[in-house]
């Protein structure tokens, strides 16, 4: 009918109206999450529009969307930059993630289906296999490559638990907090250059044991144990993240001494 054709035309016109903001959004988001654009990095509209091959308008729209995601800060007259927080703000954000994700684990234990349990278990088994690969390998570059894949399975494990909790609003907020944490704290703590292989392998075992405890509690439908296991797991992540970003924050906020100011003239 004419009416059906009209509605279809309006729908596709909306979809095809301007795909460029999505192109700009994905371009900038990818570089923020990869660490190419670190916390505090300026996001200049003119430079980005040239790099992406679009006008300034879709770049501006993408930056507004990324601000809503919590990844970008836009200030009047100063422009946009990758989000950065002081240590207190970061800790408050981590507290919120800890509370929500622990609650989600408890809900998952109570409400999960067998299919959802299988999805959590599959991610856990993939993590276990990759963790063993990391520990069995001596080559630093190979270990790092396997670790990247392991990190993705770790994320899949957490997402499967959030899905089993059956609260979409909570899931979206936890995912948003995950992204912000990833931008501010940087790569996973599990395979960083400052750790020896023995230290890294020991940490791998602890992390896998932590994930196993969470899974076992969900398997047994023990909401209290699932909440406690997830809380301990997130607390460990937060502790390592704070230890990592504290030197950066302190270096950025340190005031110049009178001697240094005199030297600058």
């Amino acid at each position: 009918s004419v009416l059906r054709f009209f509605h279809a035309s309006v729908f596709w016109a909306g979809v095809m109206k301007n795909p460029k903001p999505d192109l700009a959004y994905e371009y900038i988001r990818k570089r923020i999450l990869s660490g190419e654009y670190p916390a505090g990095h300026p996001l200049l509209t003119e430079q980005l529009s040239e790099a992406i091959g679009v006008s300034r308008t879709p770049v501006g729209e993408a930056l507004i969307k990324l601000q809503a995601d919590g990844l970008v800060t836009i200030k009047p007259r100063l422009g946009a930059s990758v989000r950065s927080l002081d240590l207190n703000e970061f800790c408050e954000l981590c507290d919120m993630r800890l509370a929500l994700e622990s609650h989600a684990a408890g809900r998952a234990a109570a409400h999960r289906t067998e299919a959802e349990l299988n999805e959590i278990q599959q991610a856990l088994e993939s993590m276990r296999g990759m963790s063993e690969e990391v520990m069995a390998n001596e080559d630093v570059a190979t270990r790092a490559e396997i670790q990247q894949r392991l990190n993705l399975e770790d994320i899949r494990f957490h997402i499967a638990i959030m899905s089993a909790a059956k609260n979409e609003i909570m899931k979206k907020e936890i995912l948003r907090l995950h992204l912000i944490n990833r931008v501010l704290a940087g790569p996973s703590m599990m395979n960083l250059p400052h750790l020896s292989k023995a230290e890294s392998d020991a940490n791998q075992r602890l992390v896998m044991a932590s994930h196993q405890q969470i899974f076992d509690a969900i398997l047994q439908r023990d909401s209290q144990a699932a909440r406690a296991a997830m809380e301990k797991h997130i607390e460990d992540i937060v502790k390592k993240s704070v230890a990592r970003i504290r030197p950066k924050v302190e270096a950025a906020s340190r005031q110049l001494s009178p001697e240094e100011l005199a030297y600058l003239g």
Side-chain angles (χ1 to χ4, degrees):
S1 70
V2 174
L3 185 59
R4 185 179 301 167
F5 175 78
F6 171 78
H7 285 307
S9 300
V10 170
F11 172 79
W12 286 111
V15 171
M16 300 302 294
K17 182 180 178 182
N18 194 357
K20 291 182 180 178
D22 289 337
L23 176 67
Y25 172 83
E26 292 299 333
Y27 179 96
I28 301 166
R29 184 179 184 274
K30 179 180 178 181
R31 281 153 182 79
I32 292 174
L33 296 180
S34 71
E36 184 178 342
Y37 295 166
H41 180 82
L43 299 169
L44 305 178
T45 305
E46 185 173 353
Q47 290 182 2
L48 288 168
S49 66
E50 291 177 3
I52 301 167
V54 298
S55 69
R56 295 185 188 184
T57 300
V59 171
E61 293 173 5
L63 291 173
I64 291 170
K65 188 175 178 182
L66 287 162
Q67 180 178 233
D69 291 344
L71 301 181
V72 166
T73 299
I74 302 175
K75 295 182 179 179
R77 297 186 298 279
L78 295 178
S81 61
V82 179
R83 184 173 181 177
S84 61
L85 299 175
D86 64 32
L87 198 57
N88 286 337
E89 289 173 320
F90 181 74
C91 289
E92 288 173 1
L93 179 148
C94 289
D95 279 346
M96 186 159 62
R97 177 186 167 189
L98 187 150
L100 289 175
E101 202 155 356
S102 300
H103 182 64
R107 282 185 57 86
H111 300 290
R112 56 86 177 167
T113 63
E114 288 302 311
E116 288 164 341
L117 182 68
N118 288 338
E119 187 177 351
I120 298 168
Q121 185 172 21
Q122 285 173 13
L124 179 66
E125 293 306 321
S126 293
M127 287 178 64
R128 193 187 313 283
M130 291 176 193
S131 183
E132 290 171 359
E133 279 188 67
V134 170
M135 291 187 286
N137 207 297
E138 297 288 339
D139 181 69
V140 174
T142 304
R143 285 166 63 89
E145 186 275 326
I146 300 168
Q147 186 68 56
Q148 279 191 320
R149 291 189 283 116
L150 195 160
N151 292 344
L152 293 177
E153 289 304 304
D154 190 346
I155 293 169
R156 188 161 76 90
F157 176 85
H158 283 267
I159 290 175
I161 292 173
M162 293 176 222
S163 298
K166 297 178 175 61
N167 186 319
E168 285 301 311
I169 294 175
M170 184 167 61
K171 179 180 177 181
K172 287 178 183 177
E173 183 60 19
I174 294 171
L175 288 173
R176 189 181 74 87
L177 294 172
H178 266 264
L179 288 179
I180 298 171
N181 183 286
R182 183 173 162 188
V183 171
L184 296 173
S188 167
M189 295 294 298
M190 288 190 281
N191 196 30
L192 293 176
H194 71 266
L195 298 179
S196 67
K197 184 177 185 302
E199 289 170 328
S200 178
D201 289 352
N203 194 51
Q204 290 280 355
R205 295 185 188 96
L206 287 173
V207 169
M208 284 308 306
S210 176
H211 284 83
Q212 185 68 53
Q213 286 177 345
I214 296 167
F215 173 76
D216 288 344
I218 294 173
L219 171 65
Q220 295 160 14
R221 296 191 182 275
D222 189 335
S223 294
Q224 185 174 349
R227 280 196 300 271
M230 182 64 81
E231 184 174 350
K232 185 175 182 299
H233 178 65
I234 301 297
E235 281 177 345
D236 187 53
I237 293 172
V238 170
K239 181 180 176 182
K240 292 174 182 176
S241 297
V242 169
R244 183 166 189 196
I245 71 166
R246 177 175 275 116
K248 297 178 185 178
V249 172
E250 290 175 349
S253 62
R254 188 179 75 84
Q255 299 296 313
L256 293 178
S257 68
E259 292 79 10
E260 289 168 330
L261 288 170
Y263 177 79
L264 291 174

